[in-house]
């Protein structure tokens, strides 16, 4: 269903390095190695007994270490982003794969030094407040230091943390690479528009939204068969990663598999429970939407291949240039700064949008700290959904821009996954709301509502199923490895619990676990509920924007600039939001419920 008149763009990182084999990249890799060696030596020289040192002496040591760590993170983050730009778009590129492995072998030594520094900060205990006020650098990193001290209690002894870092390269990290390689190189011969084409999996998955049910159904069947053919290695990857995380959680004294994810999200359990409770209570409303959609399609219940089906007689499609114009026009109405930023991203080819073999599915944004820029990956097919995806990822990039513009260091930019979705959801909402306002007919309004509700249902209903799936996988992995069949059973059971009678239970997506990369990161367990947090928090902020108008934007940009420097509850409180109250989440879900009401009446 690609409606583009010219191929969507590939991203350009030539201002970072000219090529993978450039002498400058090789020199920076050597410099990175030298910086890490120096950092490790200096961390090792930190005093084991701090009682012999006064606050001024300790504060100087802390400040010097912070500056070195920030410099290291800028250089390492730039190199990693550059190499990842090749790996993520062409998994056949062996040179990039080899360089990534070399980088990881070098950077793991830096991670060990950072872990050792974190453990040392933990020894400062009650003296830390005095150290953070002693000089400008420490004052600017007060939150980082306090959080580091508090989280240091969940570190193993130094020798075990070093061993864990080394083993991760050949364990969980390697399993994650396997999942990425297998899924990006899998393709299916598929008849489309009268021609048999070899489609990479992202292109096949995008056919979920094709207007022809025959195409959608055949794509679903082909997808199920394709995932079945690679389920064994992907199940091995899942077991390897979840097993490793379980072991480390026990060794580090974590309460359960959720503990580190909640701390990493900078929320608490009452906040998560309030949000999940509101989400659970909203399922009947979403099922009303599924039932209404089934009726539009002339069915009693939706099969999985109908979940993403478009509706309305005036389905709008976009060339990439039309998508660009639509996004810029509507970003400008929100903020000239946002529009100017997005224009720069388009003009300087920060976006890789073309679907092609070897390219990873989905979409993401990555920062490139050395040039204070971002890069966006998506798989553009001309649909409004993909236009909103570009807007979403540009929101992440704008978030980065706000931190860069405010002069935040790398340590000050460490944003939790929950708040990382704030700007992306805002930008996505801007585009969808604009599309609704500009609808030329009830049929077009229906189509736009459908696109928005498909996304909302994914982030509320499907994300909850992914949360249930991952929770059960972690719990059962404690006892034994899980077979592909067991993983499929858990996935289907989770989908039945959330979708309920909204879908035909005979046709769910039992292989959803195979291609979602979030399950395959040892460092990001439960990368599902943060999307829900981001959607509902973003909707809440958008409601405040509608009330306050342009006066909201400077406060919003300051919020984005500071998401790495406070807990989520404190940042939300700036706008009068209590994220521990289920009522806040219910109010945001009420906005979606109103869209469902409108959908059922058209």
């Amino acid at each position: 269903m690609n409606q583009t008149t010219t191929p969507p763009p590939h991203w350009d990182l030539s201002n970072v390095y000219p090529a993978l084999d450039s002498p400058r990249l090789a020199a920076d890799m050597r410099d990175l190695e030298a910086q890490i060696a120096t950092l490790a030596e200096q961390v090792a020289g930190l005093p084991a007994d701090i009682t012999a040192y006064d606050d001024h002496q300790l504060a100087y040591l802390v400040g010097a270490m912070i500056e070195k760590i920030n410099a290291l993170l800028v250089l390492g983050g730039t190199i990693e982003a550059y190499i990842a730009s090749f790996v993520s778009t062409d998994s056949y590129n062996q040179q990039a794969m080899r360089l990534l492995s070399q980088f990881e072998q070098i950077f793991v030594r830096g991670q060990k030094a950072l872990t050792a520094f974190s453990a040392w900060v933990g020894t400062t205990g009650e003296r830390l407040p005095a150290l953070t006020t002693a000089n400008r650098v420490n004052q600017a990193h007060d939150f980082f230091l306090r959080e580091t001290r508090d989280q240091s209690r969940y570190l193993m002894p130094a020798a075990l943390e070093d061993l864990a870092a080394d083993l991760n390269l050949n364990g969980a990290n390697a399993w994650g690479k396997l999942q990425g390689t297998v899924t990006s190189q899998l393709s299916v011969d598929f008849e489309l528009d009268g021609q048999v084409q070899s489609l990479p999996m992202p292109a096949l998955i995008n056919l979920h939204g094709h207007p022809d049910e025959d195409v959608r159904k055949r794509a679903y069947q082909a997808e199920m068969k394709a995932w079945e053919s690679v389920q064994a290695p992907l199940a091995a990857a899942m077991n390897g990663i979840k097993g490793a995380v379980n072991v480390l959680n026990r060794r580090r004294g974590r309460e359960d598999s959720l503990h580190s994810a909640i701390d990493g999200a900078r929320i608490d359990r009452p906040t998560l429970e309030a949000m999940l409770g509101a989400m659970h209570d909203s399922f009947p409303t979403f099922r009303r939407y599924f039932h209404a959609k089934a009726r539009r399609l002339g069915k009693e219940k939706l099969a999985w291949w109908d979940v993403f089906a478009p509706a309305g007689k005036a389905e709008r499609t976009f060339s990439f240039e039309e998508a660009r114009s639509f996004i810029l026009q509507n970003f400008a109405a929100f903020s000239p700064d946002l529009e100017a930023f997005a224009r720069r991203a388009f003009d300087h080819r920060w976006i890789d949008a073309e679907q092609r073999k070897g390219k990873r599915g989905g979409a993401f944004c990555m920062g490139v700290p050395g040039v204070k820029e971002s890069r966006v990956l998506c798989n553009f097919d001309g649909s409004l959904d993909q236009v909103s995806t570009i807007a979403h990822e540009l929101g992440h990039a704008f978030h980065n821009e706000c931190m860069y513009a405010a002069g935040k260091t790398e340590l000050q930019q460490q944003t939790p996954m929950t708040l990382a979705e704030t700007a992306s959801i805002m930008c996505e909402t801007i585009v969808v709301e604009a599309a609704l306002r500009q609808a030329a007919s009830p049929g077009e309004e229906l189509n736009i509502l459908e696109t928005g509700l498909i996304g909302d249902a994914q982030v509320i209903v499907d994300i909850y199923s992914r949360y249930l799936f991952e929770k059960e996988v972690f719990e059962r992995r404690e006892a034994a490895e899980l077979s592909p069949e067991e993983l499929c059973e858990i996935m289907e059971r989770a989908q039945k619990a959330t979708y309920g009678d909204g879908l035909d239970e005979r046709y769910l997506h039992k292989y959803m676990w195979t291609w979602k990369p979030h399950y395959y990161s040892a460092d990001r367990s439960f990368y599902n509920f943060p999307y829900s947090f981001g959607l509902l928090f973003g909707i809440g902020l958008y409601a405040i924007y509608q009330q306050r108008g342009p006066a909201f934007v400077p406060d919003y940009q300051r919020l984005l600039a500071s998401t790495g420097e406070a807990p989520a509850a404190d940042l939300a409180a700036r706008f009068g939001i209590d994220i521990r109250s289920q009522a806040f989440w219910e109010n945001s879900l009420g906005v979606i419920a109103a869209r469902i009401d409108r959908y059922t009446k058209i």
Side-chain angles (χ1 to χ4, degrees):
M1 198 173 65
N2 194 321
Q3 301 294 325
T4 57
T5 55
T6 58
H10 296 190
W11 50 26
D12 177 19
L13 284 90
S14 59
N15 66 322
V16 183
Y17 297 106
L20 286 169
D21 58 358
S22 77
R24 189 153 59 87
L25 176 57
D28 278 358
M29 290 275 276
R30 292 191 295 272
D31 185 25
L32 178 68
E33 197 164 11
Q35 286 191 32
I36 289 172
T38 299
L39 179 67
E41 181 180 351
Q42 292 181 344
V43 170
L46 290 171
D49 180 9
I50 65 172
T51 58
Y53 294 78
D54 63 31
D55 289 346
H56 178 76
Q57 292 171 312
L58 290 177
Y60 174 80
L61 292 175
V62 170
M65 295 301 301
I66 286 175
E67 291 184 321
K68 286 181 171 59
I69 292 169
N70 276 320
L72 176 65
L73 293 177
V74 169
L75 182 58
T78 302
I79 294 171
E80 183 177 28
Y82 182 75
I83 298 171
S85 74
F86 291 89
V87 173
S88 59
T89 55
D90 181 12
S91 62
Y92 297 98
N93 189 323
Q94 293 302 309
Q95 181 185 15
M97 291 289 194
R98 184 171 60 255
L99 274 173
L100 180 60
S101 179
Q102 291 172 4
F103 168 83
E104 290 170 343
Q105 295 285 347
I106 294 170
F107 203 70
V108 70
R109 297 195 289 275
Q111 292 170 325
K112 291 179 185 179
L114 292 173
T115 300
F117 177 66
S118 297
W120 183 83
V121 170
T123 68
T124 63
E126 296 303 316
R127 293 182 65 181
L128 185 63
L131 307 186
T132 58
T133 58
N135 61 52
R136 177 183 55 81
V137 172
N138 294 0
Q139 289 172 14
H141 293 83
D142 173 69
F143 178 75
F144 162 74
L145 289 169
R146 286 186 287 109
E147 184 178 52
T148 298
R149 179 197 61 187
D150 294 344
Q151 290 298 310
S152 69
R153 74 187 68 176
Y154 302 114
L155 290 174
M156 298 181 291
L160 289 181
E161 287 292 349
D162 281 357
L163 178 62
D166 283 334
L167 290 178
N168 182 62
L169 286 179
N170 303 305
N173 189 53
W175 286 121
K177 284 184 179 179
L178 174 66
Q179 188 270 344
T181 299
V182 169
T183 57
S184 67
Q185 294 188 2
L186 187 62
S187 60
V188 173
D189 289 337
F190 188 82
E191 183 183 343
L192 186 63
D193 299 328
Q195 294 183 342
V196 175
Q197 306 176 33
S198 179
L199 296 181
M201 292 309 289
L204 186 70
I205 291 168
N206 277 347
L207 292 178
H208 286 173
H210 198 281
D212 186 335
E213 182 182 2
D214 177 66
V215 172
R216 296 196 306 271
K217 183 176 180 179
R218 288 190 296 108
Y220 167 85
Q221 293 169 335
E223 186 189 350
M224 294 299 103
K225 186 175 180 181
W227 293 132
E228 183 180 14
S229 72
V230 293
Q231 64 177 347
L234 296 179
M238 179 77 76
N239 279 296
I241 291 168
K242 299 310 186 192
V245 172
N246 273 339
V247 170
L248 290 173
N249 281 337
R250 286 198 305 273
R251 291 281 188 162
R252 288 171 174 153
R254 292 290 185 180
E255 296 174 21
D256 54 23
S257 60
L258 261 174
H259 188 179
S260 61
I262 290 172
D263 281 0
R266 293 186 187 143
I267 61 174
D268 51 27
R269 288 183 190 262
T271 298
L272 180 61
E273 289 165 3
M275 184 183 72
L276 292 176
M279 290 166 63
H280 183 274
D281 291 349
S282 75
F283 292 161
T285 301
F286 279 97
R287 289 166 191 167
R288 187 158 54 86
Y289 155 65
F290 295 135
H291 293 151
K293 181 168 184 172
R295 289 193 297 271
R296 291 187 188 280
L297 297 176
K299 297 187 170 188
E300 183 178 344
K301 289 185 179 181
L302 295 178
W304 190 272
W305 61 79
D306 297 319
V307 169
F308 302 91
K313 297 179 180 179
E315 183 192 6
R316 186 172 183 181
T317 57
F318 297 78
S319 67
F320 191 81
E321 280 302 310
E322 289 169 339
R324 166 197 163 105
S325 297
F326 187 75
I327 289 170
L328 292 178
Q329 175 188 352
N330 291 293
F331 278 9
F334 177 81
S335 161
D337 289 345
L338 178 59
E339 188 271 345
F341 169 77
R343 186 178 297 278
R344 181 154 58 99
F346 282 113
D347 289 347
H348 292 273
R349 289 174 50 205
W350 291 6
I351 303 172
D352 194 294
E354 185 185 35
Q355 302 176 78
R356 57 194 185 274
K357 289 184 178 179
K359 180 178 177 180
R360 294 201 173 189
F364 65 78
C365 170
M366 63 180 182
V368 190
V371 292
K372 298 188 184 302
E373 295 175 356
S374 298
R375 293 298 185 271
V376 164
L377 179 143
C378 60
N379 285 272
F380 186 71
D381 66 355
S383 66
L384 178 60
D385 178 62
Q386 281 295 311
V387 176
S388 67
T389 295
I390 295 173
H392 180 106
E393 299 304 335
L394 284 173
H396 284 302
F398 184 66
H399 193 160
N400 292 340
E401 176 70 8
C402 288
M403 292 189 284
Y404 292 144
K408 301 297 184 181
T409 67
E410 288 299 294
L411 290 175
Q412 291 172 323
Q413 292 180 44
Q414 305 300 304
T415 295
M417 294 180 290
T418 38
L419 295 172
E421 296 301 323
T422 301
S424 58
I425 295 298
M426 177 68 78
C427 288
E428 186 177 341
T429 302
I430 290 168
V431 166
V432 172
E433 290 294 318
L436 281 170
R437 288 194 303 271
Q438 297 172 29
S441 67
E444 185 173 357
E445 181 186 6
L446 176 62
N447 178 252
I448 296 165
L449 276 171
E450 186 74 81
T451 299
L453 289 174
I454 286 171
D456 293 339
Q458 284 294 291
V459 176
I460 302 302
V461 183
D462 201 70
I463 284 290
Y464 202 112
S465 74
R466 298 181 215 174
Y467 167 80
L468 293 176
F469 168 83
E470 191 161 7
K471 190 170 184 292
E472 184 171 347
V473 168
F474 267 123
E475 291 168 354
R476 290 179 56 178
R477 183 62 184 84
E478 288 280 14
E481 291 186 358
L482 297 161
S483 68
E485 292 76 18
E486 287 174 309
L487 291 170
C488 288
E489 289 170 5
I490 297 170
M491 190 82 259
E492 283 194 310
R493 185 162 55 253
Q495 289 170 352
K496 289 175 183 177
T498 58
Y499 286 96
D501 65 358
L503 298 188
D504 188 331
E505 291 188 357
R506 297 173 299 172
Y507 304 111
L508 300 175
H509 198 314
K510 65 181 181 180
Y511 286 115
M512 183 64 74
W513 59 271
T514 59
W515 65 278
K516 289 294 182 184
H518 300 150
Y519 295 130
Y520 297 87
S521 171
D523 298 325
R524 290 190 171 188
S525 299
F526 290 98
Y527 197 1
N528 34 60
F529 69 76
Y531 280 99
S532 305
F533 187 107
L535 172 66
L536 299 176
F537 188 59
I539 288 175
L541 286 176
Y542 188 79
I544 296 172
Y545 160 66
Q546 288 180 308
Q547 295 168 3
R548 293 181 54 190
F552 165 85
V553 176
D555 290 340
Y556 172 68
Q557 289 182 223
R558 283 191 288 271
L559 169 72
L560 295 179
S562 58
T563 53
E565 300 178 279
D570 292 354
L571 293 170
R574 294 184 185 180
F575 294 88
I577 295 172
D578 179 7
I579 61 174
R580 295 186 181 93
S581 166
Q582 187 164 324
F584 165 70
W585 306 107
E586 289 172 346
N587 287 339
S588 291
L589 285 161
V591 174
I592 301 174
R595 294 174 186 167
I596 292 174
D597 288 341
R598 175 60 181 157
Y599 176 88
T600 60
K601 292 174 182 176
I602 296 178

